[in-house]
Amino acid sequence: MAGRKPLPMAVKQIKGTAQKCRINPREPKPVGQLCAAPEYMSEAAKEAWNYAVENSPPGLLSALDGAILERWANCSGLYREALSKINRAGVSGMIIKTPSGILRRSPLMDVIRDLALEMKGYEAEMGFTPASRSRISTSADAPRESDPWSEIAG
């Protein structure tokens, strides 16, 4: 099938673009809330999971989205760990010396780049980037947590 990927009904409703003629009556409706992060995940990945669950728009993520969120959280955890290793070593951590004496870029730099690209795909799917988030709008009466910037920005 050519063209854009169809948007789920939940996203259309959040965006405010749901039209009766474009509703798929047979669209599966996932149920259930996301549970806590899986136990086998690293602490950094669990932090990313919890951050995403706490900060995603209400009703956007369901239990069925747990697998993609798990992949994103694991990538985020590994990304943070690799980046912290590079940061601890400073600029010298970005370059390694091979056994033959040739200087080359650290393999961690490739890992960081690959993880960032993989995370970007997951973030676009789940509405975690500013561009993907700008296509979604929530109702004005949606419950919001206290926003520390509301006093400054109004």
Side-chain angles (χ1 to χ4, degrees):
M1 171 158 95
R4 294 182 191 176
K5 293 187 288 187
L7 290 175
M9 188 61 203
V11 173
K12 289 180 184 179
Q13 288 175 333
I14 290 172
K15 282 183 169 184
T17 60
Q19 297 178 11
K20 190 173 183 179
C21 63
R22 295 183 181 169
I23 292 175
N24 178 3
R26 296 182 182 168
E27 178 181 335
K29 294 173 180 56
V31 294
Q33 296 284 339
L34 277 170
C35 58
E39 288 299 318
Y40 55 83
M41 291 173 75
S42 69
E43 287 305 313
K46 286 179 184 179
E47 287 175 18
W49 173 287
N50 293 332
Y51 180 81
V53 170
E54 291 168 6
N55 293 294
S56 66
L60 186 62
L61 298 175
S62 69
L64 190 57
D65 302 317
I68 193 167
L69 181 59
E70 180 181 346
R71 289 191 297 267
W72 175 82
N74 281 320
C75 285
S76 178
L78 291 171
Y79 176 85
R80 290 175 183 179
E81 289 174 23
L83 197 57
S84 71
K85 285 182 182 179
I86 291 288
N87 288 339
R88 279 194 302 267
V91 176
S92 64
M94 293 183 202
I95 301 171
I96 62 166
K97 193 176 216 179
T98 63
S100 61
I102 299 171
L103 295 177
R104 72 176 222 93
R105 187 169 72 168
S106 169
L108 276 178
M109 297 300 292
D110 294 332
V111 169
I112 290 169
R113 184 195 64 229
D114 292 345
L115 287 169
L117 287 172
E118 190 173 348
M119 287 169 36
K120 184 179 176 183
Y122 299 140
E123 290 163 352
E125 286 288 321
M126 295 186 293
F128 287 1
T129 64
S132 63
R133 207 170 34 251
S134 70
R135 295 187 290 267
I136 299 173
S137 63
T138 57
S139 63
D141 59 337
R144 301 288 296 172
E145 296 292 322
S146 69
D147 182 9
W149 291 97
S150 64
E151 297 172 9
I152 297 169

